[in-house]
Amino acid sequence: FQEVFYQVYQILNLAGDIPHIIRGSAGSCLLCFLMGITDIDPIKENISLSRFMHDERQDMPDIDIDFPSNRRDYIYKKIFIKWNKQVARISNHILYKERSAYREAIRKEGHRKFVPREYNLKDIFDDSEQINNINKNAKELIGTFRCYSLHCGGIVIFPNSVPDNLYLKDFEIDNNFTGPQIWMNKDQVEDADMIKIDILSNRGLSQLWD
């Protein structure tokens, strides 16, 4: 895990004088304080390290960083330039819920028009067999994979280039500057023993900084 301390330290150096907040249990880590990653001395404040790291913990602890929301793209750009072709954003896996499953089942049954928030299937389809098909197909869809979306801030820095078998697509960071996105979500990244760093944003911090 020592590498993630250094990666976070480097990211904060890239940010320069842009302020940051470390959220969560990393605030109890003495090493984070001594490296200047956090500003609160956990010994002085008597904060237990076990919230961050302990012998029985099965998953990797993480260090989540909040930057001002109107500076985050600038930080991302710096990160993706420094670790060129080695860093990628991770994905969310969006699953069908009841409402989206029914809309998809309606679409597959041939209805391409707008479906209002509140609707009755009998107002859309006259055929009872079609309605039965929609009910059946929608129930089968619930809980299954629907699509990928971009995780709110998670990145992985690879020792070499981003593996081709993980690459999903490029996402736009700033003014046509793009970076890779991998198809793995946070749970898959954790299961693969990769270290995720969350580059998050905070609107209150933006107002304070401005």
Side-chain angles (χ1 to χ4, degrees), residues 43-161:
I43 294 179
K44 179 181 177 182
E45 303 299 336
N46 195 28
I47 305 172
S48 172
L49 173 65
S50 63
R51 286 191 61 239
F52 181 66
M53 189 180 293
H54 55 84
D55 290 340
E56 296 182 5
R57 182 165 183 162
Q58 299 299 311
D59 60 334
M60 283 283 192
D62 54 9
I63 301 175
D64 299 339
I65 314 170
D66 271 338
F67 289 108
S69 58
N70 57 359
R71 303 296 198 280
R72 187 170 70 151
D73 285 346
Y74 170 82
I75 303 294
Y76 269 132
K77 191 171 182 178
K78 287 267 195 176
I79 291 170
F80 277 78
I81 289 173
K82 177 175 177 58
W83 285 283
N84 183 33
K85 299 182 179 179
Q86 290 180 251
V87 60
R89 291 276 297 272
I90 66 173
S91 296
N92 290 319
H93 293 179
I94 307 300
L95 306 181
Y96 280 104
K97 296 183 179 179
E98 183 175 9
R99 187 182 298 275
S100 58
Y102 265 92
R103 288 180 182 276
E104 178 64 11
I106 289 170
R107 190 189 68 80
K108 286 184 176 180
E109 201 60 34
H111 184 80
R112 296 290 189 274
K113 297 179 181 179
F114 173 74
V115 178
R117 185 176 180 84
E118 303 295 334
Y119 63 88
N120 189 315
L121 285 176
K122 292 181 180 178
D123 294 334
I124 302 174
F125 296 97
D126 296 327
D127 190 334
S128 60
E129 184 176 346
Q130 282 185 300
I131 293 175
N132 289 336
N133 286 339
I134 290 168
N135 285 322
K136 177 177 177 294
N137 292 334
K139 289 176 182 177
E140 291 176 352
L141 281 172
I142 293 173
T144 64
F145 178 79
R146 179 184 176 191
C147 62
Y148 296 103
S149 69
L150 196 60
H151 186 270
C152 64
I155 62 169
V156 174
I157 301 172
F158 293 91
N160 300 302
S161 59

Side-chain angles (χ1 to χ4, degrees), residues 184 187-194:
M184 298 175 80
D187 295 325
Q188 292 169 323
V189 164
E190 181 181 303
D191 291 342
D193 290 329
M194 299 176 186

Side-chain angles (χ1 to χ4, degrees), residues 10-26:
Q10 289 176 296
I11 289 169
L12 295 180
N13 279 340
L14 291 175
D17 62 351
I18 297 174
H20 72 279
I21 297 172
I22 300 296
R23 66 166 69 186
S25 62

